[in-house]
Amino acid sequence: MVDLAQHLTEGPVSLKSVADRQKLSERYLEQLVPDLRKAGMVKSIRGSQGGYLLAKKPEDILIGDVIRILEGPIAPVECTDQKSGEDCCEKTNFCVTREVWVKVRDSINDVVDSITLADLLEGVEKEEVERLNIFDEKA
Amino acid sequence: MVDLAQHLTEGPVSLKSVADRQKLSERYLEQLVPDLRKAGMVKSIRGSQGGYLLAKKPEDILIGDVIRILEGPIAPVECTDQKSGEDCCEKTNFCVTREVWVKVRDSINDVVDSITLADLLEGVEKEEVERLNIFDEKA
DNA sequence: CTATATCCTACTAAACCAATCGGAATTTGT
DNA sequence: ACAAATTCCGATTGGTTTAGTAGGATATAG
């Protein structure tokens, strides 16, 4: 998603180009990106010269949403997931420790929902500036 | 640990009794508890009538410490672990997303280090009160 | 001496996850 | 019409992790 955002002015971005730049296999990306498309995060353009585009502005993309789409619901233990989280409390005291996991879960979600794709782009720019500075020092 | 804390006045607590109450296998506990002992969380007394005791007061036991002892360092991805966290940044942009994981990691540690075993004991008591209330309503 | 415990070192089985594979469907450019 | 580029889909693999089991050694109270 970061790579897509960095190249959003250049038209559709092929998975091949992302794979090359990010040193990931195209096959692997091929498996992941369709989930983002189904969730309305990216738009796809098939055929030659096709590729992917962000469906929203980077400021409007929470990385929490991206993570949840790619990795499923964020839950440190199964019973803190909304769906399947009822069957574990037969055990004495289990629900006390469950409260801990609920707090952990909420805290994680708060963090990842407080960062947008645009925030990450800023980070990339900073990094590039730093790389240039190091280069200057060496020269 | 919660079970141990609940029975700390009754002398050494055997894993068998914990296993019965908490519906866990004694074998499984046998595997876990020695780690807590080595870390100075509990004291063990071998032989007949032996068992385990908390080595500190419940107020002084952070559940973050318990989790880290039993599960290892808390790190959402490998490269946010102090030791092995250097080799992944060959990838372009990787360190930008790493910042996210660092924030997640710190947030998790903050949560679990803000809760003590004593806090969980309070929760157990509340739960028991609730159970009694439900019982009363039915009667 | 015996029953009750902790202690230690493996081993097993299931789940999970990154990554691969083969091939079908779609579109652009010539 | 054709060829190249590209998304799309389902199945499979291989490695790691993790919950749980197993066997047997060691220590202590009564």
Side-chain angles (χ1 to χ4, degrees):
Chain A
M1 290 294 277
V2 172
D3 192 279
L4 243 53
Q6 283 186 276
H7 298 89
L8 51 78
T9 60
E10 308 167 17
V13 180
S14 73
L15 291 190
K16 184 170 193 316
S17 65
V18 177
D20 288 346
R21 282 190 295 262
Q22 304 298 326
K23 289 173 186 163
L24 296 166
S25 98
E26 188 181 352
R27 287 297 199 176
Y28 186 40
L29 291 173
E30 241 171 37
Q31 186 187 19
L32 299 184
V33 180
D35 290 337
L36 294 169
R37 182 182 56 84
K38 283 167 200 159
M41 281 296 203
V42 300
K43 283 180 291 191
S44 68
I45 298 172
R46 298 183 67 163
S48 184
Q49 311 304 318
Y52 290 92
L53 295 166
L54 292 184
K56 300 190 267 188
K57 284 178 292 180
E59 308 85 284
D60 297 331
I61 296 178
L62 302 181
I63 68 141
D65 287 332
V66 176
I67 292 172
R68 282 182 293 265
I69 290 163
L70 293 178
E71 314 243 316
I74 293 174
V77 295
E78 204 179 352
C79 72
T80 61
D81 184 10
Q82 262 74 12
K83 302 165 211 163
S84 55
E86 247 77 295
D87 44 355
C88 25
C89 290
E90 308 149 8
K91 303 183 183 182
T92 317
N93 292 330
F94 195 102
C95 290
V96 185
T97 64
R98 182 176 182 273
E99 291 300 304
V100 176
W101 299 122
V102 168
K103 282 180 185 169
V104 168
R105 179 198 65 191
D106 292 343
S107 147
I108 297 173
N109 279 295
D110 285 350
V111 170
V112 295
D113 286 336
S114 74
I115 307 173
T116 69
L117 193 52
D119 295 329
L120 293 195
L121 284 184
E122 278 181 42
V124 175
E125 280 161 30
K126 270 187 203 163
E127 237 173 50
E128 273 164 10
V129 170
E130 270 175 40
R131 258 203 294 279
L132 289 175
N133 287 345
I134 290 167
F135 187 75
D136 285 349
E137 281 165 23
K138 283 185 182 168
Chain B
M1 291 295 277
V2 172
D3 192 279
L4 243 54
Q6 282 187 275
H7 299 88
L8 50 79
T9 60
E10 307 166 18
V13 180
S14 72
L15 292 189
K16 186 173 191 315
S17 66
V18 177
D20 288 346
R21 281 188 296 261
Q22 304 298 327
K23 289 173 187 166
L24 296 165
S25 101
E26 188 181 353
R27 285 296 200 178
Y28 187 40
L29 290 174
E30 241 171 35
Q31 187 187 18
L32 300 183
V33 180
D35 290 337
L36 294 168
R37 183 182 56 83
K38 285 167 200 161
M41 281 297 204
V42 300
K43 283 180 291 192
S44 69
I45 298 171
R46 298 183 66 162
S48 183
Q49 311 304 314
Y52 290 92
L53 294 167
L54 291 184
K56 299 191 268 186
K57 284 179 293 181
E59 308 83 285
D60 296 331
I61 295 177
L62 302 181
I63 70 141
D65 287 332
V66 176
I67 293 173
R68 281 182 294 264
I69 290 164
L70 294 178
E71 313 243 316
I74 292 174
V77 293
E78 204 180 352
C79 72
T80 61
D81 185 8
Q82 262 74 9
K83 301 166 213 162
S84 56
E86 249 77 295
D87 45 354
C88 25
C89 290
E90 310 149 9
K91 301 184 185 181
T92 317
N93 291 329
F94 195 101
C95 290
V96 185
T97 64
R98 182 175 182 273
E99 291 301 304
V100 176
W101 299 121
V102 169
K103 284 182 184 167
V104 168
R105 178 199 65 190
D106 292 343
S107 147
I108 296 173
N109 279 295
D110 285 350
V111 170
V112 295
D113 286 337
S114 74
I115 307 173
T116 70
L117 194 51
D119 295 329
L120 293 195
L121 284 184
E122 278 181 41
V124 175
E125 281 161 28
K126 270 187 202 162
E127 237 173 52
E128 272 164 10
V129 171
E130 271 175 38
R131 257 204 294 279
L132 288 175
N133 286 344
I134 290 166
F135 187 75
D136 285 348
E137 280 164 21
K138 281 185 182 169

